[in-house]
Amino acid sequence: MSDWPDGWNDRSDPHGRGSGGAQPEGARVMRHVQRGQVPPPAAPVPPVRRPVPAQPQGYDDGYGQGSHGDGYNTGQVYGGGGGRGGRPPRVGPAPDWRRRIKLGSLTLVVVLLAVSIGTYFWADGKLKREVDLSKVIERPEAGDGTNYLIVGSDSREGMSADDKKKLHTGSAEGKRTDSMMILHDGSNGPTLISLPRDSEVEIPSFVGSESGKRFPGQGRRVKLNAAYAEDGPELLVRTVEHNTKLRIDHYVEIGFAGFANIVDAIGGVEMDIPKAFKDKKSGADFQAGKQTLNGEQSLAFVRTRYAFAGSDLDRTKNQQKFLAALASQTATPGTILNPFKLYPTMGAGLDTLIVDKDMSLWSLGQMFFAMKGVTGGDGTSMNIPISGSNGGNLVWDKAKVAQLVEQLKNDEKVTVTGN
């Protein structure tokens, strides 16, 4: 029998105030719960590991505590940075590859610029600026383009007795011109003109390069190489200008040793020799066909004249052919971009190179590439026009020489042909 009034045990009561059991429902099911306490779960539930949003410092659950009052912990950490179920470790920002590439490129440019500037001043400091063209008097007017007088001398400076024997240079003291060429660099392409050493020319009035004394012209007619032997490069330039009426802008001279060393530094020069020839005086001994010449062989090739019917005229043609091939095969990426070739090549050439006082390394480079253009189909190579001979001297064709010089002065296309 129930002590509760009828109807209080009605299970349909939405408030659960009735029960059909032996004990009142309140005593059987419900217990007194103090405020601020949370009943534990009926069964342990594994904590769910999921990131929890960060809570502000001093989180309050509404009861003045930072956690549930009964010490119950759900495994979550509020306001903290670590622990199980906390936020994942912070990952740094992704690398800025664009910025890194820009910095790397800038560093590379700076390094290359520094190396280039250093190389320029190193090479520029090795030039021997010994020729003073201001001492040359009564000079022709300058024309268009740039004219270089390129001289190969038989200087044996710095050569040992074994070197002289090996290169068949002999042991003569002093130096003489072994080859002379005018290279005109203009808008119509380069023109390379050989001046045979046996050319008959007039020695004009001049001022001595060492004494400063003026020597009047006496109408003396000599071989062209005699002008160099008499008073060096300044008188040679004066004589060339007087007999051609063409102003020389720069002077470049190289000796035997420097020539051979340049060839060896680049690993030889490939030449196609159309006909075999041999010469005891120069040491030449060549078969026909394509072959790579070393420094010794190259010097013999450009010096040989007694093996040819045309003597000095044939030799000048071989000199032009070789120098153009040398320039073409040197100015390649394999040499310019390879420091193990570039520096030995520049060092070998610059150590024995003699130039005028106004010659810059830039002008020398322009001359070099103009020489290369002669074989690249952009230029012309020729001997100065010859009308005949006077004993052992070659006589220039004055009319053709005048026409040639006029075309060079005006930087026109050269139509004159030489021998």
Side-chain angles (χ1 to χ4, degrees), residues 322-345:
F322 182 87
L323 289 179
L326 174 63
S328 179
Q329 294 174 39
T330 302
T332 62
T335 298
I336 295 175
L337 300 180
N338 184 352
F340 297 102
K341 271 193 173 184
L342 176 63
Y343 286 97
T345 302

Side-chain angles (χ1 to χ4, degrees), residues 156 161 164-165 168-174 176:
R156 297 157 180 84
K164 294 175 183 178
K165 183 177 180 181
H168 300 273
T169 64
S171 300
E173 296 298 326
R176 286 156 293 279

Side-chain angles (χ1 to χ4, degrees), residues 57 65 88 108 125 137 196 217 253 266-267 332 335 364:
Q57 294 285 341
Q65 298 179 9
L108 179 60
I137 62 174
E253 176 186 327
I266 66 170
T332 62
T335 298
L364 188 64

